């Protein structure tokens, strides 16, 4: 059924203009045609990220979307240079080196968009 279909990360935001700047300029996602007012669509690898305006933006206290990358530390450095601030969490069995969390098998770093949605970069 759905196992052969692509999933789309869908993220609610309050300010579509701030989201356009953050997802396009700061994160470097390529804009794609959405066909709807107050909805932004981005290409991210072979996936899509749909950003839409909602009064409920930023209310999720869990990770909304994650990007798997080859070098988490390099991506953290590049995003920090663009003003992204990283979150720090204390998870059992995980250590932190600067902004990068290490499970011993994988690396991860979390940050928020302008509306407080939690986003992550993780090692492949």
């Amino acid at each position: 059924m759905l196992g052969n279909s692509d999933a789309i990360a869908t993220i609610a935001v309050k300010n579509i203009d701030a989201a356009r700047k953050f997802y396009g300029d700061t994160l470097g996602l390529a804009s794609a045609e959405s066909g709807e007012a107050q909805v932004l669509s981005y290409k991210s690898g072979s996936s899509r990220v749909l950003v839409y305006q909602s009064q409920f933006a930023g209310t999720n206290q869990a990770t909304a979307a994650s990007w798997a990358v080859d070098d988490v530390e390099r991506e953290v450095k590049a995003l920090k240079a663009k003003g992204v601030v990283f979150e720090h969490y204390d998870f059992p069995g995980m250590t932190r080196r600067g902004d990068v969390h290490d499970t011993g098998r994988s690396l991860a770093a979390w940050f928020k968009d302008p509306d407080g949605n939690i986003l992550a970069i993780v090692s492949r």
Side-chain angles (χ1 to χ4, degrees):
M1 292 184 36
L2 296 179
N4 294 323
S5 298
D6 293 331
I8 300 169
T10 307
I11 302 171
V13 300
K14 291 180 182 164
N15 183 322
I16 206 78
D17 293 324
R20 181 178 290 110
K21 182 176 180 183
F22 182 78
Y23 287 91
D25 297 342
T26 303
L27 299 187
L29 302 183
S31 182
E33 181 64 38
S34 74
E36 298 180 48
Q38 302 304 310
V39 176
L40 305 174
S41 181
Y42 293 97
K43 291 186 266 182
S44 182
S46 61
S47 301
R48 296 270 180 175
V49 176
L50 186 75
V51 178
Y52 69 100
Q53 192 161 339
S54 170
Q55 66 183 13
F56 302 108
T59 59
N60 181 3
Q61 296 301 301
T63 304
S66 298
W67 284 266
V69 300
D70 291 326
D71 189 335
V72 171
E73 292 168 335
R74 182 181 67 218
E75 295 297 332
V76 166
K77 185 176 179 180
L79 289 171
K80 283 182 82 164
K82 291 186 169 200
V84 172
V85 175
F86 285 84
E87 301 293 305
H88 298 155
Y89 300 111
D90 293 321
F91 294 123
M94 191 175 285
T95 59
R96 188 169 47 84
R97 293 187 321 268
D99 294 313
V100 177
H101 298 69
D102 187 344
T103 69
R105 292 180 20 197
S106 64
L107 301 176
W110 287 269
F111 58 98
K112 293 181 180 179
D113 75 0
D115 288 299
N117 293 301
I118 302 169
L119 308 172
I121 48 179
V122 298
S123 56
R124 291 189 202 271

